[in-house]
Amino acid sequence: MPAKVLLIDDDSDFRAAVKSLLESRGYHVLEASSGHEGLGMVLEHKPDAILVDIMMETTVEGYGVTYALKYRDEYAESRNIPLFMISSIEESPDERFPMSAEVEMIRPDRYLTKPLDIPKFLELLEKAVGAAKGAVV
């Protein structure tokens, strides 16, 4: 069974490029164009990894998705799914909000910037999905 990756991003060109890349590596890719749609797909499809942009319908939507997955009760079974935030914003949440005590609430497992460093991205994703599925990495 191929690993399922949920890609939440409002940029259809970015989704198409990442989907093509991941499918060529044997992943099954699910797509959502908004945080709301993506959160629904998490419950329905139980992906092995989640990739989320920050700026979609709002400039902070990805942070809301991250918060929901970490703290809302309906996503309790999804808390161990590796979460990658991929954004054109250069600063990670820790760098962007260094004085905020609440930054833990929006911190993803991995933070990557666009354009993606493809080899690094694939390596990190493979390790995360392998670890989530209990494989020895």
Side-chain angles (χ1 to χ4, degrees), residues 65-131:
V65 169
T66 303
Y67 176 83
L69 291 170
K70 285 184 163 202
Y71 295 101
R72 287 184 39 198
D73 290 342
E74 62 264 44
Y75 303 103
E77 291 182 16
S78 304
R79 292 210 174 107
N80 293 327
I81 298 173
L83 178 64
F84 288 66
M85 194 171 275
I86 302 173
S87 179
S88 57
I89 297 172
E90 290 291 322
E91 302 89 12
S92 71
D94 289 302
E95 295 165 328
R96 197 163 184 211
F97 308 108
M99 303 304 287
S100 175
E102 291 84 20
V103 73
E104 175 62 33
M105 295 179 181
I106 59 169
R107 183 182 296 129
D109 297 311
R110 293 287 181 182
Y111 188 84
L112 302 171
T113 57
K114 296 176 182 176
L116 280 172
D117 175 336
I118 301 298
K120 178 182 176 183
F121 166 63
L122 292 172
E123 177 185 347
L124 292 171
L125 182 62
E126 176 132 349
K127 285 180 181 177
V129 168

Side-chain angles (χ1 to χ4, degrees), residues 15-80:
R15 286 195 324 266
V18 172
K19 181 177 183 173
S20 177
L21 171 69
L22 294 180
E23 286 180 344
S24 76
R25 303 289 179 147
Y27 291 95
H28 175 71
V29 180
L30 305 162
E31 297 180 68
S33 61
S34 72
H36 179 75
E37 181 184 6
L39 287 171
M41 293 181 82
V42 168
L43 294 174
E44 183 179 345
H45 297 283
K46 300 183 180 15
D48 298 301
I50 300 168
L51 314 176
V52 64
D53 187 18
I54 295 173
M55 298 186 298
M56 291 180 276
E57 291 177 349
T58 69
T59 59
V60 294
E61 189 168 350
Y63 296 136
V65 169
T66 303
Y67 176 83
L69 291 170
K70 285 184 163 202
Y71 295 101
R72 287 184 39 198
D73 290 342
E74 62 264 44
Y75 303 103
E77 291 182 16
S78 304
R79 292 210 174 107
N80 293 327

